[in-house]
């Protein structure tokens, strides 16, 4: 294992210390708990949005805490859920009088702990609502069991914009739900990654082997086989996405091409070009394309493709400026 770290067991806390040192004007932590990550300032009367999840996916989860997006994040160890107490403490810190939306990925530990925190908040008369990202098409036929991956970005954007408009808690939840209903993702891995506390790869792939549908924690995909070209990957992925969520000629979508941690931006743009060519052939309009790292898996090589069907309201939300230490859109 070659990583720029101190002790593997301190990986998450050392990372957080570095973030707070570099960006203390934008983010802070609560009650001497580094893993209760919040915006430095809150807006009274605004719905607060709280997320949470394991380390290893930056900028996913804590990287979207900032102006126009999220208000707080409970941070777990690498690929591990944060505790209910962490979520509760973040909630108490960011709540600003209008209630709190819990918006996080569809993973068992996260769901259990966010539900426990909601019960604790109810006893404190803090109103909460919950919604999970579940956009990973290849992780299950039933949308209720699908994993939340890079497509949660669109949920963050829409909910964050509605909250910035000073929408009610139910309105912010509805904005997140609208993005969820219209977003799908397909991902694929070319290499495994190494969890610092473990010290070795979390799965194995052959020299010329890839995994279609591999999860961001190394969950098994739908097939392993020879590495395909960008055109072939775009074709298979779009076929899966459009079968699950049909998009007609003339309808508009946003496209997100996401790198998993060790894929060069050049490769992502090659993949983006392949996707756009196919969409143009199908006469599907692309409103915006986002290319970069939005939800990673340590140093895993691979990518994911998300599509989000948009109308005028969603385009306005997605276009809103945001600013966090990890992601800025002007």
């Amino acid at each position: 294992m070659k990583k720029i770290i101190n002790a593997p067991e301190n990986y998450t806390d050392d990372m957080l210390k570095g973030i707070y040192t570099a960006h203390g004007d934008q983010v802070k932590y609560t009650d001497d708990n580094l893993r209760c990550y919040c915006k430095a300032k809150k807006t009274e009367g605004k719905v607060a949005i709280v997320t949470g999840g394991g380390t290893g996916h930056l900028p996913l989860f804590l990287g979207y805490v900032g102006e126009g997006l999220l208000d707080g994040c409970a941070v777990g160890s690498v690929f591990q859920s944060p505790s209910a107490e962490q979520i509760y403490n973040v909630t108490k810190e960011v709540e600003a009088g209008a209630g709190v939306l819990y918006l996080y990925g569809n993973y068992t530990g996260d769901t259990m702990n966010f539900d426990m925190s909601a019960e604790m908040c109810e006893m404190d008369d803090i109103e909460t609502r919950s919604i999970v990202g579940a956009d990973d098409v290849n992780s299950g036929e039933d949308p209720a069991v699908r994993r939340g991956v890079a497509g949660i970005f669109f949920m963050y954007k829409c909910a964050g914009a509605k909250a910035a408009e000073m929408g009610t808690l139910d309105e912010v939840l509805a904005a997140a739900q609208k993005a969820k209903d219209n977003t799908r993702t397909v991902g694929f891995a070319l290499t495994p990654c190494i969890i610092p506390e473990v010290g070795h790869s979390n799965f194995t792939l052959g020299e010329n082997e890839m995994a279609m549908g591999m999860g961001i924690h190394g969950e098994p995909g739908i097939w392993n086989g020879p590495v395909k070209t960008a055109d072939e990957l775009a074709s298979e992925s779009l076929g899966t996405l459009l079968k699950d969520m049909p998009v007609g000629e003339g309808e508009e979508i946003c496209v997100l091409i996401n790198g998993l941690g060790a894929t060069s931006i050049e490769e992502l743009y090659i993949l983006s070009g392949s996707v756009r060519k196919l969409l143009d052939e199908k006469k599907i309009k692309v409103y915006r394309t986002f290319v970069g790292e939005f939800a990673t898996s340590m140093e895993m090589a691979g990518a994911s493709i998300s599509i989000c069907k948009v109308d005028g309201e969603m385009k306005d939300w997605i276009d809103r400026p945001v600013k966090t230490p990890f992601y800025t859109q002007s």
Side-chain angles (χ1 to χ4, degrees):
M1 179 177 70
K2 294 182 179 180
K3 291 185 181 293
I4 302 173
I5 60 174
N6 296 309
E9 63 271 20
N10 295 334
Y11 182 87
T12 297
D13 288 345
D14 284 351
M15 174 202 70
L16 288 168
K17 289 175 184 176
I19 294 172
Y20 294 128
T21 300
H23 303 292
D25 59 328
Q26 297 183 66
V27 294
K28 65 178 184 178
Y29 56 93
T30 67
D31 299 328
D32 297 324
N33 188 336
L34 293 169
R35 300 190 181 198
C36 295
Y37 184 99
C38 308
K39 279 173 56 178
K41 299 177 182 178
K42 65 182 177 181
T43 303
E44 292 298 331
K46 186 185 84 70
V47 171
I49 305 174
V50 170
T51 194
T55 303
H57 304 301
L58 275 173
L60 188 57
F61 306 126
L62 68 87
Y64 295 108
V65 172
E67 295 302 318
L69 284 171
L70 313 180
D71 298 274
C73 177
V75 183
S77 297
V78 177
F79 296 178
Q80 295 181 27
S81 301
S83 69
E85 183 179 13
Q86 285 174 258
I87 300 164
Y88 172 65
N89 287 336
V90 171
T91 304
K92 288 194 298 180
E93 179 66 25
V94 303
E95 196 276 328
V100 179
L101 177 66
Y102 286 162
L103 171 50
Y104 56 96
N106 192 22
Y107 298 93
T108 302
D110 295 328
T111 300
M112 178 181 67
N113 290 333
F114 271 94
D115 286 348
M116 290 175 60
S117 176
E119 293 175 1
M120 295 161 70
C121 288
E122 185 177 2
M123 292 187 287
D124 282 348
D125 294 323
I126 298 174
E127 187 177 13
T128 65
R129 299 281 191 278
S130 294
I131 186 170
V132 296
D135 51 304
D136 188 354
V137 176
N138 280 331
S139 61
E141 291 187 14
D142 181 359
V145 304
R146 289 176 177 172
R147 300 183 290 257
V149 286
I152 201 172
F153 168 79
F154 293 112
M155 297 175 69
Y156 288 161
K157 282 286 287 167
C158 292
K162 192 63 183 179
E165 291 177 2
M166 305 304 285
T168 66
L169 181 55
D170 286 339
E171 288 172 337
V172 175
L173 173 60
Q177 185 68 55
K178 188 171 185 178
K180 176 179 178 176
D181 292 343
N182 287 284
T183 301
R184 303 290 189 276
T185 300
V186 165
F188 37 87
L190 304 179
T191 69
C193 63
I194 297 173
I195 299 171
E197 294 94 333
V198 176
H200 58 77
S201 299
N202 56 345
F203 60 91
T204 58
L205 287 171
E207 179 65 26
N208 191 41
E209 185 182 27
M210 64 171 292
M212 174 60 73
M214 176 69 68
I216 60 174
H217 305 108
E219 299 96 335
I222 58 171
W223 59 255
N224 287 16
V227 175
K228 294 190 175 185
T229 66
D231 285 345
E232 291 169 335
L233 291 169
S235 179
E236 178 173 343
S237 298
L238 276 180
T240 300
L241 293 168
L242 296 175
K243 180 180 179 182
D244 195 80
M245 185 181 71
V247 180
E249 288 188 13
E251 291 192 286
E252 287 187 279
I253 63 172
C254 288
V255 176
L256 187 147
I257 307 296
N258 170 63
L260 294 179
T263 301
S264 70
I265 193 71
E266 291 90 345
E267 293 169 73
L268 296 179
Y269 274 106
I270 292 171
L271 181 61
S272 179
S274 297
V275 169
R276 182 59 180 266
K277 179 183 176 183
L278 291 171
L279 291 170
D280 288 346
E281 290 173 356
K282 296 177 183 295
K283 296 183 171 57
I284 295 172
K285 295 181 180 179
V286 176
Y287 178 67
R288 291 191 69 151
T289 300
F290 299 86
V291 180
E293 291 184 343
F294 296 84
T296 63
S297 182
M298 298 295 291
E299 75 280 24
M300 184 187 291
S304 63
I305 301 168
S306 302
I307 60 173
C308 178
K309 195 187 303 187
V310 295
D311 59 11
E313 181 177 51
M314 290 181 67
K315 287 192 287 187
D316 179 60
W317 291 335
I318 290 168
D319 284 346
R320 297 288 181 87
V322 300
K323 183 180 180 181
T324 86
F326 296 86
Y327 181 72
T328 297
Q329 181 180 309
S330 57

